Amino acid sequence: MFSSSFLTARLLRQNTLLTGLIQTRNKNYLNRPRLRNPTWFVRKERTVHDEMLTAENTSFVKEVLHTKFGPPALMKGVLTFDQSNQSLIRTEELPAVEWRQGLKRTGVIARKIGQYPLWKKDGTKIRTTLLQVIDNHVVKYVPPEEFKPPHEPKQKRNWKNPYGCLLVGAQSKDPSVFTKEYCGLFKDSGVLPKQHLCRFIISPEARLLPGTPLNVTHFKVGDVVDVRGKTVDHGFQGVIKRHGFKGMPASHGVTKTHRRPGNIGAGGGKARVWPGTRMPGHMGNRWRNLRGLKIWRINTKYNVMWVQGSNIAGDTNGLVYIYDTILPLRKYKESPAFPTHFESENDLYADEDMWQEEIHNFKGGSITFKEE
């Protein structure tokens, strides 16, 4: 006969082993940084050789380039190529679609340019991050029947409604520095080859024609957005910098273990290293989503928005992707600019700076006088 203490210890050990099996079998891949381009992305950079062109030939090539894509221009604070040539952009009109709950529209590509504080009218300080939408244009639309997203291990996409894909490019650049395959992506778009590309999953009702510009007016002041960025790459780091460990004492017989993790608890019934144990490894270079960020201010001249928070992933001048939030309680209750905001004559009289009502505008007076 076995004693009650022996049976209890045996049951606890079996439960521990079962728990370990469950934890290890839920995830059969590691969260390693993606150091390569996605499978759908064609080779972009090419080896640029000195072709020994004369000054006349160089000017002729630029004239041909400007004839095809338009002359360079400074549009909303970003040096780009003028897209005012309407012959390059399709004049086809899409049927008007009324917005409803559940429709998913495109996002934009922005650059993180710094941080700036704002103050509410009651004196509360708000820390914000400045995101600049850099020369965004629609490049291509892929319908749901042709869109094949990459499948990750053990992940199924149980979409109730079919979704399409919208390829958006940012920051125009000279096509001579790109490969022929990469420039072929922009053949039917009417825009110059872009330095950055991103695919946004959208509803078929929210499709846009190639060549359509996307500005900061895609959002409004007071909207709540999700921002996706890649964290700063720190390389291989120890536990003190990676996880904030305290380390061992500097004296009292401690020898060569000042910045070591110490015991990781791999003895006893487990007799192995559990997945998820905090240990040295690669730090950073991971995609991180920050959800539920409110837009407090928008500047339409330079395409800049002031977004809540100062912990958006990425370094200064790094790229981020801005989406409509997926948080259930902060989604749109009223119709946004669907599928995007199209400029009209009435926008010429709109203010360059748009502030949330709660924010104090320092351009206006803060003290008022009343005549008695």
Side-chain angles (χ1 to χ4, degrees):
M1 298 296 294
F2 297 101
S3 61
S4 59
S5 59
F6 178 80
L7 292 175
T8 304
R10 188 170 182 177
L11 289 175
L12 289 174
R13 184 175 181 180
Q14 290 180 355
N15 292 335
T16 304
L17 292 175
L18 289 175
T19 306
L21 291 175
I22 293 173
Q23 290 185 1
T24 55
R25 289 181 180 177
N26 278 347
K27 195 172 186 181
N28 62 348
Y29 65 96
L30 300 177
N31 282 335
R32 290 173 178 167
R34 297 184 180 180
L35 304 178
R36 298 177 180 85
N37 290 326
T39 56
W40 61 271
F41 200 85
V42 298
R43 188 167 63 92
K44 181 169 68 171
E45 288 84 5
R46 72 175 185 90
T47 304
V48 181
H49 300 282
D50 188 4
E51 299 177 355
M52 308 296 292
L53 296 177
T54 61
E56 296 180 357
N57 291 337
T58 303
S59 61
F60 174 74
V61 171
K62 290 184 178 180
E63 289 178 3
V64 173
L65 182 64
H66 297 165
T67 304
K68 186 176 182 181
F69 297 103
L74 187 65
M75 297 178 61
K76 297 191 175 182
V78 179
L79 183 61
T80 178
F81 283 75
D82 189 7
Q83 301 295 338
S84 60
N85 190 356
Q86 298 298 329
S87 62
L88 302 178
I89 301 177
R90 297 182 182 179
T91 57
E92 175 190 357
E93 293 185 1
L94 295 174
V97 179
E98 186 177 356
W99 179 85
R100 64 178 187 273
Q101 290 285 349
L103 291 182
K104 196 171 186 178
R105 55 176 201 155
T106 181
V108 296
I109 306 174
R111 185 181 299 279
K112 179 181 174 182
I113 60 176
Q115 299 182 14
Y116 197 80
L118 295 177
W119 281 267
K120 291 185 178 181
K121 294 181 179 179
D122 59 359
T124 305
K125 181 181 177 180
I126 302 175
R127 302 179 65 176
T128 62
T129 301
L130 279 72
L131 303 178
Q132 183 180 26
V133 182
I134 46 172
D135 189 23
N136 282 211
H137 285 86
V138 177
V139 177
K140 185 180 179 181
Y141 171 71
V142 182
E145 54 271 12
E146 299 179 8
F147 177 49
K148 296 180 180 179
H151 297 284
E152 297 181 358
K154 298 296 182 181
Q155 291 188 6
K156 297 181 180 179
R157 300 182 182 272
N158 298 322
W159 289 340
K160 297 180 181 179
N161 301 320
Y163 286 110
C165 168
L166 200 68
L167 186 63
V168 178
Q171 198 168 354
S172 302
K173 200 171 183 180
D174 187 1
S176 62
V177 300
F178 298 127
T179 60
K180 183 179 180 180
E181 296 81 7
Y182 186 79
C183 293
L185 298 174
F186 306 87
K187 182 177 63 174
D188 299 329
S189 62
V191 297
L192 202 70
K194 301 289 185 176
Q195 188 174 3
H196 309 288
L197 287 178
C198 180
R199 295 201 300 182
F200 294 99
I201 299 174
I202 64 170
S203 301
E205 295 83 356
R207 61 165 296 199
L208 293 169
L209 293 177
T212 305
L214 299 174
N215 298 318
V216 73
T217 51
H218 185 71
F219 303 98
K220 296 183 296 184
V221 173
D223 291 350
V224 180
V225 296
D226 298 341
V227 181
R228 182 174 186 255
K230 183 175 284 189
T231 57
V232 180
D233 189 4
H234 293 276
F236 191 95
Q237 297 295 332
V239 293
I240 290 182
K241 183 171 183 179
R242 191 185 186 200
H243 301 292
F245 281 19
K246 181 181 178 181
M248 299 294 180
S251 60
H252 296 283
V254 178
T255 305
K256 297 183 180 180
T257 56
H258 309 297
R259 299 179 67 87
R260 298 290 185 88
N263 184 15
I264 59 175
K270 295 177 291 185
R272 64 187 181 90
V273 179
W274 287 80
T277 303
R278 295 181 295 176
M279 298 182 71
H282 194 108
M283 179 180 177
N285 199 33
R286 263 79 163 178
W287 288 103
R288 292 290 180 264
N289 295 330
L290 206 58
R291 307 194 187 280
L293 306 182
K294 190 174 182 179
I295 300 176
W296 292 102
R297 179 184 172 188
I298 285 179
N299 182 276
T300 58
K301 180 180 180 180
Y302 298 103
N303 266 347
V304 178
M305 64 173 66
W306 281 252
V307 180
Q308 175 81 37
S310 59
N311 57 338
I312 294 177
D315 204 350
T316 304
N317 295 326
L319 292 181
V320 296
Y321 306 130
I322 308 175
Y323 313 83
D324 295 332
T325 184
I326 63 173
L327 299 180
L329 300 180
R330 300 190 181 183
K331 288 185 177 181
Y332 285 109
K333 302 297 187 299
E334 300 178 356
S335 174
F338 188 84
T340 186
H341 174 77
F342 298 100
E343 295 184 359
S344 60
E345 296 180 358
N346 297 330
D347 295 334
L348 299 176
Y349 305 97
D351 297 334
E352 293 182 354
D353 271 336
M354 292 178 285
W355 303 69
Q356 181 72 2
E357 296 180 358
E358 306 174 10
I359 299 298
H360 173 68
N361 187 354
F362 284 94
K363 293 183 178 180
S366 58
I367 301 177
T368 57
F369 297 94
K370 295 182 179 179
E371 297 182 359
E372 296 182 356

